[in-house]
Amino acid sequence: MKKRTIQAKKILKSLINYKTDIDSRFDINKLRENNCLYFQMEDYYGFTKDKRANGELKQKTIEVLLNIFHDWQNNLEGLGFNYYLAIWLYNPRISLSEVVCGINNTIEYYENDVFLQNDKKINFNSLNFGKLDEELKKLTWDLKIDLDNVSDWEVNYPKEQYKNLKEYNVEQRYHKKNIKNAIKTIEEPSGNLYLFPAGDVWVGQFKSKK
């Protein structure tokens, strides 16, 4: 617990200085070149191994995502072309959360193909986020599935490459459980890729864009 608390404090310190992360800035040249922009929490802030956050850390994470979302929105408004802009808020794996912008051919992909629809009958409850409630209410939130994956090469990784038999057995149980829970299988030349649910993704966009 103490080690986890120290890690959380380090992440909070980084989040306070998020503007030093070049990916947090709206870059029109990069957007035109790649047809997309991403700000990804995990790439920069080194969350705990299970990718979760609670309390002050969770609040600050969402606050940073909102700040970047609004900044990019303000820059996009005067450009005169269609675009996709959204917060992808993962639960419980919050460190995977992103602000995503797309133009041209990426718009349809982000809107229709990147996630599977989640059939859970629940609504986004902004009251869960305290002082951010009013800002979160300005967006519409659509529930998707957070998919993780395991591949055949991971399952077949040589036993002798593990540190010990216990580690091997733990990994095998984990992989077999996820394969059993897979909702989609992708056949690749190197073997199958099994996609399984790891949580939810709330996709937030301005109501005016619906």
Side-chain angles (χ1 to χ4, degrees), residues 125-201:
N125 187 357
S126 58
L127 292 174
N128 289 335
F129 305 102
K131 65 180 182 179
L132 301 175
D133 173 44
E134 291 301 318
E135 286 300 313
L136 292 168
K137 281 181 179 176
K138 295 177 181 178
L139 282 66
T140 56
W141 295 93
D142 191 20
L143 186 60
K144 308 291 186 178
I145 301 174
D146 173 16
L147 289 175
D148 206 340
N149 64 78
V150 61
S151 60
D152 278 338
W153 77 261
E154 292 175 285
V155 177
N156 299 323
Y157 193 71
K159 184 188 297 186
E160 57 270 19
Q161 296 297 318
Y162 286 87
K163 292 180 181 179
N164 51 58
L165 183 60
K166 180 180 178 181
E167 183 183 56
Y168 170 78
N169 289 332
V170 169
E171 287 292 304
Q172 285 296 307
R173 286 195 297 269
Y174 175 76
H175 293 327
K176 288 177 181 178
K177 176 184 175 182
N178 291 330
I179 290 174
K180 182 179 179 180
N181 292 331
I183 60 176
K184 187 175 182 179
T185 301
I186 300 174
E187 295 183 2
E188 298 182 334
S190 59
N192 289 336
L193 186 68
Y194 306 93
L195 306 182
F196 60 91
D200 302 323
V201 185

Side-chain angles (χ1 to χ4, degrees), residues 4-203:
R4 184 185 181 101
T5 301
I6 292 172
Q7 178 70 5
K9 288 180 178 179
K10 289 181 179 179
I11 299 170
L12 271 171
K13 186 176 180 180
S14 295
L15 287 172
I16 290 170
N17 299 312
Y18 76 89
K19 290 184 179 180
T20 62
D21 181 356
I22 192 171
D23 289 337
S24 72
R25 304 166 196 169
F26 183 80
D27 186 335
I28 183 60
N29 293 323
K30 187 175 180 180
L31 177 60
R32 291 184 186 277
E33 179 181 353
N34 300 321
N35 288 328
C36 62
L37 286 178
Y38 293 95
F39 174 82
Q40 300 172 308
M41 299 299 299
E42 185 182 39
D43 286 351
Y44 188 68
Y45 298 106
F47 274 74
T48 46
K49 187 176 180 180
D50 62 6
K51 307 179 186 300
R52 304 186 186 205
N54 296 295
E56 184 181 3
L57 179 55
K58 186 174 184 178
Q59 288 278 320
K60 190 62 180 179
T61 299
I62 298 173
E63 181 181 334
V64 168
L65 292 168
L66 280 167
N67 287 344
I68 293 170
F69 176 87
H70 287 302
D71 178 58
W72 289 12
Q73 174 72 26
N74 289 337
N75 280 279
L76 287 162
E77 279 298 307
L79 295 179
F81 52 68
N82 292 329
Y83 60 87
Y84 171 96
L85 180 65
I87 295 175
W88 295 351
L89 184 60
Y90 286 71
N91 179 49
R93 303 197 303 170
I94 195 168
S95 78
L96 298 180
S97 299
E98 307 178 44
V99 179
V100 180
C101 178
I103 60 174
N104 299 327
N105 61 308
T106 64
I107 294 176
E108 183 176 356
Y109 171 70
Y110 291 143
E111 288 183 341
N112 301 312
D113 298 326
V114 70
F115 294 117
L116 296 179
Q117 191 68 32
N118 198 319
D119 293 330
K120 291 182 181 177
K121 303 300 180 183
I122 57 176
N123 296 318
F124 184 80
N125 187 357
S126 58
L127 292 174
N128 289 335
F129 305 102
K131 65 180 182 179
L132 301 175
D133 173 44
E134 291 301 318
E135 286 300 313
L136 292 168
K137 281 181 179 176
K138 295 177 181 178
L139 282 66
T140 56
W141 295 93
D142 191 20
L143 186 60
K144 308 291 186 178
I145 301 174
D146 173 16
L147 289 175
D148 206 340
N149 64 78
V150 61
S151 60
D152 278 338
W153 77 261
E154 292 175 285
V155 177
N156 299 323
Y157 193 71
K159 184 188 297 186
E160 57 270 19
Q161 296 297 318
Y162 286 87
K163 292 180 181 179
N164 51 58
L165 183 60
K166 180 180 178 181
E167 183 183 56
Y168 170 78
N169 289 332
V170 169
E171 287 292 304
Q172 285 296 307
R173 286 195 297 269
Y174 175 76
H175 293 327
K176 288 177 181 178
K177 176 184 175 182
N178 291 330
I179 290 174
K180 182 179 179 180
N181 292 331
I183 60 176
K184 187 175 182 179
T185 301
I186 300 174
E187 295 183 2
E188 298 182 334
S190 59
N192 289 336
L193 186 68
Y194 306 93
L195 306 182
F196 60 91
D200 302 323
V201 185
W202 287 100
V203 177

